[in-house]
Amino acid sequence: MSLLVVRDVFKSFGGNVALKGVSFSLGEGEILGIVGPNGSGKTTLLNVLSGTVRQDKGSVFFGGKRVDRLSPHVRARMGIGRTFQITRLFSNLTVLENVLVPLHYGGPGSDGKRAEEILGMVGLLHMKDVKAGSLSLAQRKRLELARALSLNPRLLLLDEVFAGLNPVSVREILDLLRRIHSETGVAMILVEHVLKALFQITRRVIVLSEGRVIYEGEPEGMANSEEVIKAYLGERYEAFRGKGP
Amino acid sequence: MGRHDLVVLAGLLALSILPPFLTDYLERVITSALLLASLALAQNILLGYTGYPAFGSVAFFGVGGYVTAVLMKDLSLPFPLALLCGTLFSGLLALLIAPPVMRLKSHYFAITTLALQLALGELVANLEVTGGAQGINLPIYRGPGGYLIFYYLFWTLTLVAFLINAYVERSTFGYALKAIREDEVAAETLGVNTLLFKTASFTLMALITGCSGGIYAYWITYIDPTSMFDPVLSVKMFVALLMGGVGTVGGPVAGAFVLEVVSETLWGQFPRVHGLILGLLIVLIVLIIPKGIWRRR
Amino acid sequence: MDTVLQLLVESLFLGTFYAFMSLGFSLTWGVLNIINLAYGSYIILGAYLAYTLHIYLGLDPVLSLPLSFTGGFLLGLFFQRFLMNRVMNLEPFMVLILTFGLDIFIANALNLIFRADIRSIDVPYAERSHLLGPLIITEVKALVFVLSLILTALVYLLLHRTWTGRAIRAVALDREGARTVGVSPEKIFLITSGIGTGIALASGNLYGVLQGFTPFDGGMLTVKAFLVSIVGGLGRVESAVAGGLFLGVLEVFTGFYLGEGWKFFASLIVMFLFLILRPRGLLGGKYYGET
């Protein structure tokens, strides 16, 4: 049985349609990459899944239950954890406190030992008493991961975890994600721009363009999909085709 | 609690043995300061820890005061019972309006609560049961202890409010509020039922504020819409809070005492320019307090 | 029927004045994102200015309109330069507290000079009225209506037909975008604050002609300007007109059918409901609260 089933989700903001009937599903412990040009609806899709945005039409099932009308905090307790494209830490709380909040309210209960375990896993234990606002970008991303992990999640939604990081940090986060996956077996959806890193962790990719799924399959197939090339190259490609043989 | 907070707590406890050494005048000044401290501590739960500025929190001061007064006058309820009803009624009102009101952010929230405060003032001024614009006269308290009883009532309320703040500062309940203050969306996606905690925070604020209003009504024995729903009281409370330190346990109390002493000395010296100086003081304090009031600690 | 017609005319007259009166509030809110709680006191300041000029120089408040506007414009520049610029990046509610302090300061300064008695500007045409079919038209109200209409139209032309106006609207829509096309938001903030305060003081002249006033009436006027601004949506002249007429109808009809005492209560309850249910206003428009 699938862990997550997304069926025909629509969402528009004012006059702009961000999602036009997106459907896909994800198995337990599976890793899926979602890519696509800017404004293709990737982040909106994650927001619909985590519940911070409600879809206009369509449904989302998680673990066999329909969740698309549930509040974000209920979904968090069911095991959907997420991170944000621009990190949203509790800046005036300490690193440890940042983890204690989800542990207590979304996870198994506040437990100092468990919190330190999680911080140890993401490599922030030595900074546990530092204010989260003073962390570096790479550390902020690690802390967001730690917070999401505190929920004991069955599904992690990661919004551009690699963006803005230098190659060393990208490699470290990549290793961290692999370790998390092998230790907890959590399923992951990564919305990503950094394709090279993405392809090192998953073999299954969905391409979104203008709110629609235009490709689903292995990364290698993307290069051969006319629709994908068109979406990325846009009008220049059209012009090129017009002049073609 | 930090060292400063403990000093404030010690000072607060010392106030309980002070009355035999006080003149009537000083007793009254300290009672006023304790009133202001209770309001500032109530607001601190909401603004300091939850991040929502209830500009019109004095609405609940008025509600608490009026319910207490009406019940004493029309139903001849004894003061303690009337005060309890006034307090609970304020809390109930807050519980009902919190869900729609706390969906609003920053100045929309602030202004909405201010509109509520002014609207309730107008309502009370137009109703017969509340004595209209003339207000209500209450019997003067002649029981044991005399007016000292109000000193101790406000002292108790302030101490309770202080302890609630201290609890919020340290408890997991407080973590939920602080998470909302820091980033509401993130808090929600990490399992915090934000609506529940915002409502709880708002209601706690209203309970303390309403109780303060109830005690005030009996202390002053005469209430009218202007004095019970006074926006200047809101502003004084915010100034006390800003001076003392938003989001600290002891700050609101310290701020309230400093402001009350300053304002009393000015009142004694130049009664005619009191309002002028209060206005100026508010402007200066906003200009002096550095940006990011929550980042001062 | 005649009563309703009479009330509608009164609503139109009063509503048009409210529209003009609130333009400055709506403009500074829309462009600078400042909710100025001292706005009502600016209006009262204008009323006292017109009162003083009338008493000492015998200047009709209509003739002193340009003076009030100019005085307000300079005051607006001053406040923006020395107060508002310093607090624009703070939490919005700090600005609320600051402007409330300013409100208390102005009201008490006026109280110190003029005392708390009700003052009124006794123009010779104060009591005149005419019968127009079934209607009674008070000359003062008609005059204020016509002037408000003209002045509102002028503000509209200023915003839509001049480069300054276009720049103001550009900054309201997108500060950084405006900067990239060579408009300096800081300069526009100054000008907008000047115009807004000018409108406030000028409308004070009209308010003073319309009714008596005391130093402490500012708070009530701020609430009215606020209501007008949120009913219609922010920063546009059309919106202020819609909001003004709405408030006119609301006040005149509740005043007549429920009693004068309920007028302000009705405004406040409507404002409260609007904020909860439709913070973007009836006509949509800009909404800063979410970001």
Side-chain angles (χ1 to χ4, degrees), chain C:
Chain C
M1 192 57 224
D2 284 357
T3 317
V4 173
L5 195 64
Q6 178 75 37
L7 293 178
L8 281 175
V9 171
E10 301 272 338
S11 308
L12 174 71
F13 284 8
L14 191 62
T16 309
F17 167 69
Y18 283 151
F20 172 63
M21 179 191 95
S22 311
L23 276 176
F25 185 84
S26 171
L27 207 59
T28 39
W29 187 359
V31 179
L32 287 82
N33 199 17
I34 286 178
I35 294 179
N36 187 353
L37 293 183
Y39 189 79
S41 281
Y42 292 173
I43 299 174
I44 294 298
L45 197 63
Y48 276 101
L49 184 61
Y51 170 82
T52 311
L53 291 172
H54 183 249
I55 293 277
Y56 292 102
L57 301 178
L59 204 55
D60 191 284
V62 176
L63 295 178
S64 60
L65 268 173
L67 284 176
S68 283
F69 182 84
T70 313
F73 190 85
L74 296 176
L75 195 68
L77 294 187
F78 176 82
F79 281 146
Q80 185 62 31
R81 173 77 183 72
F82 294 103
L83 280 181
M84 299 307 175
N85 271 345
R86 292 163 191 263
V87 297
M88 278 180 69
N89 296 322
L90 299 186
E91 285 90 355
F93 101 95
M94 295 290 277
V95 182
L96 284 182
I97 293 185
L98 176 89
T99 57
F100 196 88
L102 199 58
D103 177 75
I104 295 176
F105 181 81
I106 295 174
N108 280 282
L110 288 173
N111 187 37
L112 210 59
I113 304 170
F114 295 97
R115 302 300 155 85
D117 318 316
I118 295 188
R119 303 287 165 129
S120 53
I121 306 176
D122 299 311
V123 285
Y125 41 90
E127 304 294 330
R128 275 185 237 155
S129 53
H130 306 276
L131 282 177
L132 192 79
L135 296 173
I136 305 165
I137 306 286
T138 319
E139 204 168 286
V140 168
K141 289 181 182 172
L143 176 74
V144 168
F145 165 66
V146 172
L147 285 171
S148 300
L149 209 58
I150 294 171
L151 292 169
T152 304
L154 282 178
V155 175
Y156 183 86
L157 289 177
L158 172 79
L159 286 178
H160 289 263
R161 295 276 184 275
T162 66
W163 282 109
T164 309
R166 289 188 185 115
I168 289 175
R169 289 189 297 137
V171 170
L173 287 173
D174 182 354
R175 282 179 197 180
E176 292 317 307
R179 200 192 296 279
T180 58
V181 295
V183 176
S184 147
E186 289 72 25
K187 223 161 109 189
I188 293 301
F189 291 162
L190 266 180
I191 294 173
T192 307
S193 176
I195 294 173
T197 315
I199 291 173
L201 265 78
S203 68
N205 283 34
L206 303 182
Y207 185 73
V209 178
L210 217 48
Q211 66 178 92
F213 47 90
T214 77
F216 297 101
D217 291 349
M220 189 182 60
L221 291 173
T222 304
V223 168
K224 289 180 184 182
F226 190 95
L227 181 60
V228 169
S229 304
I230 60 160
V231 169
L234 289 181
R236 282 182 307 181
V237 176
E238 308 89 296
S239 313
V241 171
L245 292 177
F246 176 85
L247 180 60
V249 170
L250 182 70
E251 280 204 348
V252 169
F253 279 79
T254 39
F256 186 80
Y257 288 106
L258 296 179
E260 290 291 307
W262 290 100
K263 257 173 30 181
F264 195 41
F265 175 71
S267 304
L268 286 161
I269 281 295
V270 169
M271 173 172 153
F272 181 71
L273 292 177
F274 250 99
L275 279 164
I276 290 183
L277 302 174
R278 298 227 42 175
R280 287 158 199 266
L282 280 181
L283 304 179
K286 267 189 75 78
Y287 177 50
Y288 287 93
E290 272 172 342
T291 52

Side-chain angles (χ1 to χ4, degrees), chain B residues 13-194:
Chain B
L13 291 173
L15 283 181
S16 69
I17 52 161
L18 212 52
F21 311 104
L22 293 175
T23 61
D24 281 359
Y25 171 71
L26 273 178
E27 190 186 300
R28 208 168 56 241
V29 172
I30 295 179
T31 309
S32 301
L34 286 167
L35 186 168
L36 196 59
S38 70
L39 295 181
L41 283 166
Q43 181 72 238
N44 195 42
I45 299 171
L46 196 59
L47 173 61
Y49 293 109
T50 324
Y52 278 77
F55 210 68
S57 71
V58 167
F60 299 102
F61 184 80
V63 169
Y66 262 97
V67 171
T68 305
V70 168
L71 289 179
M72 283 176 75
K73 197 169 163 73
D74 292 357
L75 299 180
S76 308
L77 285 191
F79 172 68
L81 195 56
L83 179 64
L84 182 68
C85 291
T87 307
L88 292 179
F89 191 85
S90 299
L92 189 68
L93 182 66
L95 196 64
L96 290 177
I97 65 162
V101 170
M102 296 209 72
R103 281 192 351 231
L104 301 166
K105 297 280 183 296
S106 74
H107 44 358
Y108 281 80
F109 173 76
I111 290 281
T112 305
T113 59
L114 182 62
L116 179 74
Q117 174 185 337
L118 298 174
L120 289 174
E122 284 293 313
L123 179 68
V124 161
N126 279 292
L127 290 180
E128 232 162 82
V129 62
T130 51
Q134 268 77 51
I136 299 177
N137 272 306
L138 286 174
I140 292 173
Y141 175 76
R142 295 193 195 285
Y147 266 54
L148 201 55
I149 194 90
F150 296 106
Y151 179 101
Y152 278 108
L153 280 171
F154 278 119
W155 179 80
T156 311
L157 180 63
T158 302
L159 188 66
V160 169
F162 182 93
L163 294 176
I164 293 176
N165 273 269
Y167 173 73
V168 168
E169 170 83 35
R170 299 194 55 95
S171 63
T172 45
F173 172 71
Y175 280 150
L177 300 191
K178 287 188 250 181
I180 292 169
R181 175 189 76 194
E182 297 292 316
D183 194 319
E184 203 168 326
V185 173
E188 261 192 321
T189 60
L190 293 172
V192 178
N193 185 347
T194 50

Side-chain angles (χ1 to χ4, degrees), chain A residues 16-81:
Chain A
N16 301 329
V17 185
L19 296 174
K20 299 176 190 160
V22 172
S23 304
F24 66 92
S25 61
L26 185 75
E28 201 87 52
E30 203 185 336
I31 301 180
L32 169 70
I34 297 183
V35 301
N38 280 327
S40 55
K42 303 182 301 273
T43 295
T44 305
L45 182 59
L46 278 203
N47 288 343
V48 166
L49 296 183
S50 71
T52 54
V53 160
R54 183 159 297 176
Q55 76 287 356
D56 302 329
K57 235 171 74 184
S59 49
V60 180
F61 292 84
F62 179 71
K65 287 200 195 91
R66 187 161 177 180
V67 296
D68 51 61
R69 280 170 207 285
L70 300 177
S71 306
H73 73 269
V74 179
R75 296 191 212 188
R77 288 172 193 174
M78 292 173 76
I80 301 181

Side-chain angles (χ1 to χ4, degrees), chain A residues 52 72-73 76-77 82 84 88 90-93 97 101-102 104-106 110 147 151, chain B residues 172-173 175-176 178-179 181-183 185-193 197 294-295:
Chain A
T52 54
H73 73 269
R77 288 172 193 174
R82 75 167 291 178
F84 296 88
R88 308 187 72 138
F90 305 135
S91 306
N92 288 309
L93 301 189
E97 288 169 330
V101 170
H104 186 78
Y105 288 101
S110 53
R147 286 198 316 191
L151 298 169
Chain B
T172 45
F173 172 71
Y175 280 150
K178 287 188 250 181
R181 175 189 76 194
E182 297 292 316
D183 194 319
V185 173
E188 261 192 321
T189 60
L190 293 172
V192 178
N193 185 347
F197 284 97
W294 292 295
R295 284 159 195 78

